[in-house]
Amino acid sequence: MKLNNRQQELLNHLQREGSSTIEALAAMFEVTPQTIRRDVLLMEEHQRLSRYHGGVRLPGGLENLAHSTRQTLLSAEKQAIAAQAAQHIPNRSTIFINMGTTAEAVASALRQHRGLRVITNSLHVAAVMCDFPQAEVIIAGGVVRPRDRGITGEAAIDLIQKFKVDFAVIGISSIDLDGTLRGYDHREIRVTQAVMAQSHQVLLVADRSKIGRPALVRLGHISEIDALFTDAPLPASMNGLFAAGKPAVHIANFAATTPTTPPVSTRRAGKER
């Protein structure tokens, strides 16, 4: 389904806010409620959103949105997050990059880096980076998940455990207000846990829609992360989670995203975990 500008903005709004009424959406877009209802009916038919009495929301929290839908939602914000995360990674680093559209954006933002060695369980990330002039890309073996071309399974974990890298760049489906990190697929979660265990620094990239979003499977806790890159201030109720300075929180300015230059340092970055 190809969305028009209003329909895309409607989806972006729901990604940020979770739900809305038909009347509020009509006022926001300065159209009649009937126009919004037509948009909603069409988008529900293509499983982009769900209706409830008097309102509309994204599909339920027990499963993730389709990859193609996630690619279009908050895309400018994801690019800004990716640009800032890429600045944190020096040339000649070794990196894990896992599945997810924000992690894919980081892969694209690393185009100007030199001497990278990248291990990934995402065919999308591999496709982005395989043509980079000075990057070696290693793909984890395993079962390919058709809906987003991510690779999971014991073979992927076995390969990951053979490496120790400078950085892990991971995306996430949900960050609870108590700091719990969550996802939808336990097989994907197991691979990400292996990635985190084999990395000197773990960089979490997550746009604001992931805060408080419901998801079923526990990955870990925000305290296991070294740096969080996001696009909006976190809720005040979460301030206590960051009182000790870990993870460091970096808020990207998506209104002024520019190409980034990698850090000058070429030494291996990070600390022993």
Side-chain angles (χ1 to χ4, degrees):
M1 176 188 180
K2 185 175 181 180
L3 303 179
N4 62 35
N5 289 339
R6 182 180 61 249
Q7 292 163 348
Q8 183 62 65
E9 285 302 314
L10 192 157
L11 267 185
N12 288 347
H13 176 74
L14 292 179
Q15 183 77 353
R16 291 190 294 268
E17 304 299 329
S19 64
S20 185
T21 65
I22 297 295
E23 289 73 18
L25 292 171
M28 178 185 302
F29 293 105
E30 300 180 344
V31 296
T32 65
Q34 290 75 15
T35 297
I36 293 297
R37 288 191 183 97
R38 284 195 294 270
D39 286 341
V40 166
L41 286 171
L42 180 63
M43 295 163 73
E44 183 181 44
E45 182 181 343
H46 288 83
Q47 300 181 340
R48 295 297 186 93
L49 46 73
S50 298
R51 288 183 297 157
Y52 64 95
H53 182 67
V56 61
R57 60 191 172 201
L58 292 177
L62 295 183
E63 60 184 50
N64 207 355
L65 298 173
H67 182 268
S68 58
T69 301
R70 288 184 286 125
Q71 280 185 312
T72 61
L73 292 173
L74 300 176
S75 58
E77 289 86 340
K78 291 174 183 177
Q79 291 173 20
I81 291 167
Q84 191 164 47
Q87 287 184 323
H88 194 82
I89 299 173
N91 289 316
R92 287 178 276 285
S93 295
T94 53
I95 319 167
F96 281 122
I97 303 180
N98 80 339
M99 295 181 273
T101 53
T102 311
E104 292 166 21
V106 176
S108 295
L110 291 168
R111 180 173 296 275
Q112 301 303 319
H113 283 58
R114 294 293 179 261
L116 298 180
R117 175 172 288 185
V118 179
I119 303 155
T120 185
N121 63 326
S122 166
L123 295 182
H124 286 296
V125 169
V128 166
M129 301 193 76
C130 66
D131 291 330
F132 286 9
Q134 293 191 36
E136 178 181 85
V137 179
I138 301 169
I139 300 179
V143 179
V144 178
R145 194 165 63 183
R147 65 182 174 85
D148 62 1
R149 299 183 182 179
I151 301 171
T152 62
E154 293 300 323
I157 294 172
D158 288 345
L159 181 133
I160 288 165
Q161 290 176 337
K162 290 179 169 63
F163 292 87
K164 191 74 173 180
V165 300
D166 301 323
F167 299 97
V169 176
I170 65 169
I172 194 69
S173 299
S174 167
I175 305 175
D176 283 349
L177 296 182
D178 66 0
T180 303
L181 307 178
R182 296 188 177 276
Y184 295 94
D185 185 337
H186 72 278
R187 293 161 297 187
E188 177 184 350
I189 292 295
R190 289 195 62 210
V191 173
T192 303
Q193 288 170 334
V195 166
M196 291 170 62
Q198 297 301 111
S199 304
H200 292 285
Q201 285 197 39
V202 180
L203 313 182
L204 176 61
V205 291
D207 64 68
R208 63 184 179 273
S209 71
K210 306 304 191 299
I211 306 300
R213 183 185 183 193
L216 188 62
V217 187
R218 186 182 190 279
L219 166 65
H221 191 267
I222 196 74
S223 59
E224 301 171 59
I225 302 300
D226 294 289
L228 168 63
F229 296 86
T230 188
D231 63 304
L234 299 170
S237 61
M238 298 182 72
N239 287 346
L241 298 173
F242 308 97
K246 182 183 177 183
V249 179
H250 304 270
I251 299 175
N253 178 8
F254 69 89
T257 304
T258 56
T260 61
T261 301
V264 173
S265 172
T266 60
R267 295 174 62 100
R268 175 167 150 170
K271 63 181 185 301
E272 295 295 332
R273 291 181 61 82

